[in-house]
Amino acid sequence: MAERQWRSVVVLCGGVGGARFLDGLAAVLPAASLTAVVNTGDDFTHWGLHISPDLDTCMYTLSGHAHRERGWGLYDETFHTLEMVREYGGEDWFQLGDRDLATHLMRTEALRQTDSLTDVTAALCKGLGVEPTLLPMADLPRATWIDTADGHSLAFQDWLVKERAEPPVERVRFVGPAKTTDAVLEAIEDAEVVFIAPSNPYVSIDPILALEGVRKALESKTVVAISPIVAGRAVKGPLAGMIWQLAHREPTAGAVAEHYEDLLAGMVVETGDEDTLPEGLAHVATATVMGDRDDRARLAREALDFADAITRVRPHEIWALVPIKGWSDAKTRLGPLFDDDARRVALAKKLAGHVLDELFKVGLGGVAVVTDHMEVAQFARSRGAKVLLDPPDSEFAHIIDASLDTLVRHKARGALVVMADLPRLDADDVREVLDIMGGHPCVIVPDRHDQGTNLLGLVPPDLFGTCFGHADSKKRHLSAATRHDVPAVVLRSETLGLDIDTPADVLALAAVEPPAEPPADPAADT
Ligand code: FO1
C-alpha cells in the first residue's frame, strides 16, 4: 500500500495525554498538515492572570519545554514567585512556576488588546517555535464546572487541583456561550481524519463536542479515538473514577467508546482491552501508553495507518470516466494511414473497446462513458458502461467536469478519468493507479511525451476543475493541484503513457507489440 501523504489531520485534545499524542503526530506529519483543537474549559483567572492549562500543556509539549513526568508546566522551572505569594498569605494551591508565569503574563496582556484567544495562541506558539496549528476550542470563555455528589458546585481547577479531584462528580456543566470559532469548524471541514486524543472524555473532549456546530461538522468525518483508559485504569487523572460516577459502569475502553456514541469510525485501544469494545466498532490494539517521544511517534504512526485503512478510498468507491468522441471525428490525425474512414473508425472502436474491457476487470464502482454521439452511447451501453451525455458543444474540460459532478451525485468518492485510446492499458496498471488514489487525492498519468494527461485520478471527483483538451494538460493539472494545496502524484508509465493520436504513436505501438503470427499460408497445408 502506497505510503499516505496526509494533507489535513485534526486532533481534539485536552491536557497531558492529549498533548503527548499530539506530539507524536507532530513527529510524523508535516506541521502544515496538523491542527489541534484544544479544550479551554479548564481556563480560569488566577492571580489576575488568564490561565489556559491545556493550551499551555500542548504548546510546552510540542516545543519540548514541558515537564516530562508531570506533563504540565515547564521542565526547567523555579517557584520563587509562588513562595513569595505564600509569604503574603496569597493563593498558593495552584503551582505557577516563574517561567510559566511569562506565558500567563503575555497571554493576559495580549487579551487586553484583542478578544481572540486564537490569535494570542498563535503568537505564543510562534514565540516558542511551535509549528502545528493550536486552535482554542473557543475565543470566548466557556468554563467547565463540576457539580459534586455532596451538593457543591466547583470551578474545574478548584475541583481538580484544590480538592484533588476527590469529591465524587454528579454532573459536568459548561458555562458560557457555546460558540466555537470559524477556524475550528473550517479545520474540521477540511480534515481527512479527526482524532480524539487520549484525554478525559468528560472534561477535556465533551467541552469541545458541546460547542455549536462541532458534532454536525464531525458527522461527515472519519473520527478515530485513542483510548485514555488502559486495562481499566486512567493513564492520568481522575477519569476512572468519573466513569464510575457518571456512567455508573466499569472504566473500560468500551465505556469510553460508548460515551462517544456514534461519532467514532474506529478506536485505538491498549492490547487486551479490545474485548471491552462494542460490537462492530473498527479498532486496532497496540501499546497506547506513551513514554518517550519515540513511543508517541510510534503510536501516532499506528493511529494514522489505522485511520488510513478505514478511510482509504477503495476501488469500489471509485468510478472510471471515459470520454469518447463521435467515431467519425476520432483519430483524424491518423487519416493518412488509412485508405478509408471505415478502418479509422474501426481502430477507434477497437481502442475504446479494449479500454472499457480492461476497466471492467478492476472492480471499480462503475464505468461511465461521456459522449454526445448516439452510436457511441449505444456502443458503451452494449459493453455495460453508464452513459453520461455531455452538454453539446462545450469545451472538453467542461464536459469532463460536468460528468465528474454527476459522479459525485452518484456518491462516488473518487474518479479516474481515462482516455479511450490507450492500447497498452491493462487492469493491473489501473489497479496500481487506484492503490495510489487510496491515499492520495490526485494522481496524474502523463502521455509518453510528458505533455498530455492519459489518466487523472481525483479524490473527491470534483477536487478541482480539469484541464483536458490542452496539449500541456499534465502541467496544468499539476498547477491546479498546487493551487488547491493538494499533493499530486505523477505516475509515469510505459503502458499507460501510450495513447494513439498520430502515426508516430501507431509506430510506437507497432515497435512494442510482438509481431502477430504470420497468417498461415493456405497453400502450405496441403
Ligand atoms: N495541576 C495540578 O494538579 N496542580 C497544580 O498545581 C497545577 C498547576 C498548573 C499550572 C499551569 C498549568 O498549565 C497546569 C497546571 N496544572 C496543575 C495542571 C492542570 O490543572 C491540568 O493539566 C489541566 O487543567 C487538565 O488537564
Side-chain angles (χ1 to χ4, degrees), residues 14-16 42 51-54 56-57 60 72-73 93-96 100 104 156-157 160-161 204:
V16 181
D42 296 5
I51 317 273
S52 297
D54 287 354
D56 291 348
T57 298
Y60 292 160
W72 49 264
W93 55 275
F94 195 74
Q95 298 168 50
L96 290 178
D100 189 24
H104 312 312
F156 181 75
Q157 296 297 348
L160 180 75
V161 181
S204 295

Side-chain angles (χ1 to χ4, degrees), residues 12-34:
L12 311 183
C13 65
V16 181
R20 287 182 173 149
F21 179 65
L22 173 63
D23 197 31
L25 287 172
V28 299
L29 288 172
S33 306
L34 178 57

Side-chain angles (χ1 to χ4, degrees), residues 228-313:
I229 287 277
V230 171
R233 278 181 315 98
V235 179
K236 244 182 122 57
L239 176 55
M242 293 180 87
I243 294 178
W244 280 116
Q245 294 152 18
L246 294 169
H248 314 298
R249 57 180 290 181
E250 192 187 349
T252 65
V256 173
E258 285 176 30
H259 177 74
Y260 290 130
E261 297 159 332
D262 50 3
L263 260 186
L264 301 186
M267 192 165 187
V268 180
V269 297
E270 182 69 22
T271 303
D273 288 351
E274 55 271 45
D275 47 16
T276 68
L277 293 176
E279 270 307 298
L281 177 65
H283 61 273
V284 65
T286 183
T288 58
V289 179
M290 293 171 279
D292 59 15
R293 208 155 192 257
D294 292 348
D295 244 359
R296 299 173 185 178
R298 174 200 44 79
L299 179 61
R301 198 170 287 110
E302 286 174 0
L304 285 165
D305 289 349
F306 172 63
D308 179 30
I310 61 175
T311 54
R312 276 187 88 68
V313 181

